[in-house]
Amino acid sequence: MKVRFWGTRGSIPTPGPSTVRYGGNTACVEVRDRSDALLLLDGGTGLRELGASLNGGSPVDADLLLSHLHWDHIQGLPFFRPAYDPECRIRIHGPKQSRPLRELLGIGMDDPFFPVDLDGLPAQIEVTDVDPAMEVAMGPYRVKATRIYHPAPALAYRVEADGRVLVYATDTEDAFSGEANPVTALAAGADMLIHDAQYVVADFKRGWGHSTVDAAVDVGLSAGVSCIVLYHHDPDRSDDALDRIGREAQERVRSLGRSAKVIVAREGLELTV
């Protein structure tokens, strides 16, 4: 699988000179298998640029997996160009809520918040409420979900294709919940784990639903993952700070006698799983 990062920031977009290298857009990851089938992970502001890159090509047929409905994970949806093309098909999947997912996604686009409502988008859009125990085929992808610890209903996803395994686990505080960490089980033996790493130990905020860099590394090592990608960077984290975090995280792996590779996600980064 080919993986490209279009948004790596958490909480709020952070454009500016201190974030130019790692990027200021919020959560969005593009996945392509050997057949070039398109799977999207989260619809933060990075989704806008992804949509622009697809403009003018063949009609888009894609599945979009939402981890949850906080703004930084859905704010790109109204600006996703394929959503305005009647020949495009977009299937949106997200965690089951107290109200239907389609209704909740539509609230942010209803008048007076946005000039085009969700049902008014020309594309063929399907919205599916995902049960935490979901395990289904989405085209060539096999997708499994699990509920994670966050202030709103949230899911992590295990994606399998071409004999490889990618796990996407953002906005998880499970390493600090005092319970067995569902992400560790979900990521067992995975080739790559994209994991929330919003905090360092010094600025960790209990109850806010996020992990530390050290916790992300420890979860990856416990699961036996080959590559750990640090993701959902704090809006106050500068490029220089992320450089340092990457070096220290890789050193932590070495100090534990392990060989997993640690990568700090940045916009435009392309990886092969």
Side-chain angles (χ1 to χ4, degrees):
M1 289 181 281
K2 301 289 186 181
V3 177
R4 177 165 180 160
F5 294 86
W6 291 90
T8 65
R9 193 67 54 172
S11 302
I12 191 170
T14 54
S18 68
T19 61
V20 69
R21 285 189 288 111
Y22 287 91
N25 279 304
T26 62
C28 183
V29 180
E30 174 186 4
V31 181
R32 301 269 187 173
D33 79 323
R34 194 175 290 139
S35 71
D36 208 37
L38 178 58
L39 181 71
L40 308 175
L41 301 171
D42 268 330
T45 58
L47 187 65
R48 187 194 68 82
E49 292 192 32
L50 169 57
S53 77
L54 299 171
N55 195 43
S58 301
V60 169
D61 187 298
D63 286 281
L64 167 58
L65 301 177
L66 298 177
S67 62
H68 64 304
L69 301 189
H70 284 165
W71 283 118
D72 51 330
H73 295 259
I74 64 170
Q75 204 166 21
L77 286 172
F79 303 95
F80 186 47
R81 289 189 188 179
Y84 295 85
D85 183 345
E87 296 187 16
C88 293
R89 296 181 61 89
I90 305 166
R91 293 167 296 279
I92 303 173
H93 314 265
K96 186 177 293 185
Q97 316 278 320
S98 58
R99 295 160 67 182
L101 183 64
R102 188 179 191 102
E103 178 185 337
L104 292 172
L105 287 174
I107 289 173
M109 295 178 64
D110 284 345
D111 184 72
F113 303 112
F114 197 74
V116 182
D117 64 31
L118 182 65
D119 291 330
L121 293 174
Q124 302 167 62
I125 297 176
E126 302 171 24
V127 181
T128 302
D129 296 76
V130 174
D131 185 273
M134 178 193 80
E135 186 168 0
V136 299
M138 294 182 184
Y141 299 100
R142 188 74 186 172
V143 179
K144 181 178 181 180
T146 193
R147 179 66 57 86
I148 52 177
Y149 183 62
H150 196 64
L155 298 173
Y157 296 100
R158 180 183 177 101
V159 178
E160 302 182 15
D162 300 333
R164 309 291 281 177
V165 179
L166 166 70
V167 172
Y168 181 78
T170 187
D171 293 64
T172 164
E173 196 180 336
D174 291 277
F176 303 93
S177 71
E179 305 292 335
N181 190 341
V183 177
T184 305
L186 189 73
D191 299 288
M192 181 180 292
L193 170 63
I194 300 171
H195 196 285
D196 184 289
Q198 178 148 342
Y199 298 128
V200 294
V201 173
D203 56 28
F204 174 66
K205 298 174 180 65
R206 186 171 295 278
W208 284 34
H210 297 284
S211 290
T212 63
V213 173
D214 286 354
V217 169
D218 291 345
V219 170
L221 294 180
S222 296
V225 173
S226 305
C227 179
I228 303 164
V229 182
L230 305 179
Y231 184 70
H232 204 272
H233 311 312
D234 190 273
D236 291 330
R237 202 79 67 208
S238 68
D239 289 334
D240 290 344
L242 288 171
D243 285 341
R244 183 174 63 255
I245 280 171
R247 291 192 299 269
E248 292 175 351
Q250 190 65 71
E251 179 55 39
R252 179 178 176 81
V253 172
R254 284 194 292 266
S255 71
L256 294 171
R258 306 292 290 277
S259 59
K261 185 174 184 179
V262 179
I263 296 173
V264 181
R266 60 174 173 79
E267 282 183 36
L269 176 66
E270 296 184 13
L271 300 172
T272 300
V273 181

